[in-house]
Amino acid sequence: MRIVILGIGNVATVLGRMIREAEHEIVQVWGRSETGARNLADGLSAGYTTNLQSIDKGADLYLVAVSDSAIPAVADVLRLDRKLVVHTAGSVSKTVLKPCSSNYGVLYPLQSLRKEIPVLPVIPFLVDGNTGDDTALLMDFAKTLSADVQVAGDEDRLKLHVAAVIVSNFTNHLYVLAEDYCKEAGVNFKLLLPLINAIAGRLDQFSPSRLQTGPAIRNDGQTIESHLALLSDHPGLKEMYRLFTKSIQERHP
Amino acid sequence: MRIVILGIGNVATVLGRMIREAEHEIVQVWGRSETGARNLADGLSAGYTTNLQSIDKGADLYLVAVSDSAIPAVADVLRLDRKLVVHTAGSVSKTVLKPCSSNYGVLYPLQSLRKEIPVLPVIPFLVDGNTGDDTALLMDFAKTLSADVQVAGDEDRLKLHVAAVIVSNFTNHLYVLAEDYCKEAGVNFKLLLPLINAIAGRLDQFSPSRLQTGPAIRNDGQTIESHLALLSDHPGLKEMYRLFTKSIQERHP
């Protein structure tokens, strides 16, 4: 397919690489920053523009991969008649693109995409179109990028996005807090990496509710107290420790 | 080496398998439950006893792999003269074993061990002995089990245990909460597994503080509000969402 990518951030860059890898043609990249647009376009062997009025009208698919809050501004200007235009956001309704075209939808990558990581990740895609034909076309297109493609409407996509925020952004924040703590305490955070990977890696075999371990679920008050005492100079982390201990004990009475 | 294992739980079982794999001899297993002790002993080609007074006195190393709170009761009874006795707990001082022998220490596996997972995990070991010779012996022994062995005293081990609780028990609890939510919301938790593994897997290349993404760090109030609205029937998860959003924004001002 012939594709125009609007956006130059992490999602635009990583999806752009995957789309090239799958041997589609990227005809144009649009970005507000000329340097950013040119750099991404060069990497994808595409043309570029910084002007939404100059978007190539001859492509098959328009991928609006800008930040959630920037989508409405793009949708205000972009006029594509009957061309298929999709955004990539988990928590934004597909109808935001209604002004752009009679054919619109969503191609949502359920993954954390970072352009500085060169290896292309495994991405489950959730697709949705405003007509059955558009959904089918998006399904076929997404299958050229990934083995795991599902149809999901606005509501299910939003629910999965909330769950994704919990298991990725919040989890990563726990890693940040632990790394900060290790630095201050003078111990080596890297020693925790095998543990971190084990906890994540075994979920394909077992439900996490069967795998809960630690002082909270054991009701091991002595260990909990010694941990809280150690965290007395880290009030934020201490509050987090208390909340998790309470939440784990409530979940596993 | 000739080893006696005291305990029949996850740590005793998984370390027992690794010790056998490394071609040491397990001479005896002790457990309070006869069935439990016999089952584990059979799997490790060892003898067993349920009586602490009947512990074989001819081994080189005694591994007290019982729950933290059960260590003192074992230490009260176990008398081994000059034999090396160690426990496996992150948050318990090695001196709890002082009554047992003039030679005592710790062999702490910095990993979440579950006997139902047959694949032996990568385990960084933290070792500590009350004499230099004991520490050196534990170091040599642990190196037969793992490529990653470090000396760490009570204080550093406790600090790493706190950090381990944060990145494993708390992280797993986030997975539990997300799975509970997905079930209630009628969406498929398994779709999140590639994301979960990506977040954990990239920490060997990047500090987590460089990898934080999501609505909180973007200050994306609209998405945060739509997520909180969706969680209105899940008060515990909503409180968690608010706390993480605040904590992420404080950490990345």
Side-chain angles (χ1 to χ4, degrees):
Chain A
M1 295 204 352
R2 290 166 49 81
I3 293 155
V4 170
I5 294 180
L6 297 98
I8 55 174
N10 286 310
V11 176
T13 303
V14 178
L15 291 188
R17 287 178 197 153
M18 293 186 82
I19 288 167
R20 279 286 298 170
E21 191 93 340
E23 301 192 349
H24 299 285
E25 183 187 355
I26 298 172
V27 294
Q28 195 181 35
V29 170
W30 168 85
R32 244 179 277 276
S33 139
E34 174 146 11
T35 317
R38 188 175 48 225
N39 284 346
L40 180 54
D42 283 355
L44 300 173
S45 311
Y48 74 92
T49 178
T50 60
N51 183 354
L52 272 180
Q53 315 283 359
S54 311
I55 290 290
D56 188 313
K57 300 291 167 76
D60 304 307
L61 177 65
Y62 293 80
L63 201 60
V64 181
V66 300
S67 66
D68 293 17
S69 55
I71 299 174
V74 171
D76 265 357
V77 179
L78 198 63
R79 290 295 170 268
L80 295 165
D81 209 0
R82 283 186 299 269
K83 295 286 184 175
L84 179 55
V85 53
V86 299
H87 71 64
T88 58
S91 294
V92 178
S93 168
K94 63 178 178 293
T95 55
V96 69
L97 297 174
K98 208 172 176 174
C100 306
S101 169
S102 55
N103 298 82
Y104 55 89
V106 179
L107 176 77
Y108 172 55
L110 189 47
Q111 183 53 280
S112 175
L113 306 179
R114 301 289 305 199
K115 54 185 164 188
E116 63 267 51
I117 298 176
V119 181
L120 294 175
V122 173
I123 307 184
F125 280 97
L126 304 181
V127 302
D128 188 22
N130 77 311
T131 72
D133 283 355
D134 290 326
T135 302
L137 196 153
L138 285 169
M139 194 85 184
D140 288 344
F141 173 68
K143 280 181 179 168
T144 68
L145 308 180
S146 167
D148 193 355
V149 183
Q150 321 236 346
V151 176
D154 283 344
E155 205 185 334
D156 280 355
R157 196 173 62 252
L158 177 62
K159 288 171 179 173
L160 277 163
H161 188 219
V162 172
V165 164
I166 294 166
V167 300
S168 68
N169 305 149
F170 294 178
T171 293
N172 190 73
H173 186 57
L174 288 178
Y175 302 153
V176 171
L177 294 177
E179 188 185 45
D180 289 350
Y181 171 74
C182 285
K183 274 184 190 158
E184 286 165 40
V187 294
N188 182 5
F189 174 73
K190 292 264 179 187
L191 283 170
L192 301 167
L193 297 191
L195 173 61
I196 287 173
N197 279 291
I199 296 292
R202 61 202 192 177
L203 297 178
D204 55 351
Q205 290 179 74
F206 297 97
S207 160
S209 60
R210 279 201 52 207
L211 295 171
Q212 191 65 44
T213 56
I217 196 171
R218 283 201 310 272
N219 253 308
D220 178 350
Q222 207 174 330
T223 300
I224 293 167
E225 284 314 312
S226 74
H227 288 178
L228 288 172
L230 204 63
L231 297 177
S232 55
D233 295 337
H234 304 77
L237 200 50
K238 194 169 175 177
E239 186 190 356
M240 199 65 98
Y241 194 103
R242 276 191 205 285
L243 178 71
F244 268 95
T245 299
K246 177 171 149 273
S247 180
I248 290 168
Q249 292 179 342
E250 282 170 4
R251 174 59 179 74
H252 307 269
Chain B
M1 294 204 353
R2 289 166 49 81
I3 292 154
V4 170
I5 294 180
L6 296 99
I8 54 174
N10 286 309
V11 176
T13 304
V14 178
L15 290 188
R17 287 178 196 153
M18 293 185 82
I19 288 167
R20 281 284 298 167
E21 191 94 343
E23 302 193 348
H24 300 285
E25 184 187 354
I26 298 171
V27 294
Q28 194 180 37
V29 169
W30 168 84
R32 243 178 277 276
S33 140
E34 173 146 10
T35 318
R38 188 175 47 227
N39 284 345
L40 179 54
D42 284 355
L44 301 173
S45 311
Y48 74 93
T49 178
T50 60
N51 183 353
L52 271 181
Q53 315 282 359
S54 312
I55 290 291
D56 188 315
K57 298 290 166 76
D60 305 308
L61 177 66
Y62 294 79
L63 201 61
V64 182
V66 301
S67 67
D68 293 15
S69 54
I71 298 175
V74 172
D76 264 358
V77 179
L78 199 62
R79 290 296 170 269
L80 295 165
D81 209 0
R82 284 188 297 269
K83 296 287 186 178
L84 180 54
V85 54
V86 299
H87 71 64
T88 57
S91 294
V92 178
S93 168
K94 64 178 177 295
T95 55
V96 70
L97 297 174
K98 208 172 176 175
C100 306
S101 169
S102 55
N103 298 84
Y104 54 90
V106 179
L107 176 78
Y108 172 55
L110 189 47
Q111 184 51 282
S112 175
L113 306 180
R114 302 290 304 199
K115 55 185 163 189
E116 63 266 53
I117 298 175
V119 181
L120 293 174
V122 173
I123 307 184
F125 280 98
L126 304 181
V127 301
D128 188 23
N130 77 312
T131 72
D133 282 355
D134 290 327
T135 303
L137 197 153
L138 286 169
M139 194 85 185
D140 288 343
F141 174 68
K143 280 181 178 168
T144 67
L145 308 180
S146 166
D148 193 354
V149 183
Q150 322 236 345
V151 176
D154 283 346
E155 206 186 330
D156 280 356
R157 194 174 65 253
L158 178 61
K159 289 171 179 173
L160 277 163
H161 188 219
V162 172
V165 165
I166 295 166
V167 300
S168 68
N169 304 150
F170 294 178
T171 293
N172 191 73
H173 186 57
L174 287 179
Y175 303 153
V176 171
L177 295 178
E179 187 185 47
D180 289 350
Y181 171 74
C182 285
K183 273 184 189 157
E184 285 165 39
V187 293
N188 182 5
F189 174 73
K190 292 265 180 189
L191 283 170
L192 300 168
L193 296 191
L195 172 61
I196 286 172
N197 279 292
I199 295 292
R202 60 201 191 179
L203 296 179
D204 55 350
Q205 291 178 71
F206 297 97
S207 160
S209 60
R210 279 199 52 205
L211 295 171
Q212 191 64 45
T213 55
I217 197 172
R218 283 201 310 272
N219 253 308
D220 179 350
Q222 208 174 331
T223 300
I224 293 167
E225 285 312 313
S226 74
H227 288 176
L228 288 172
L230 204 63
L231 297 177
S232 56
D233 295 338
H234 305 77
L237 200 49
K238 194 170 175 177
E239 186 191 356
M240 199 66 97
Y241 194 103
R242 276 192 206 283
L243 178 70
F244 268 95
T245 299
K246 176 171 149 273
S247 180
I248 290 168
Q249 292 178 341
E250 282 171 3
R251 174 59 179 76
H252 307 268

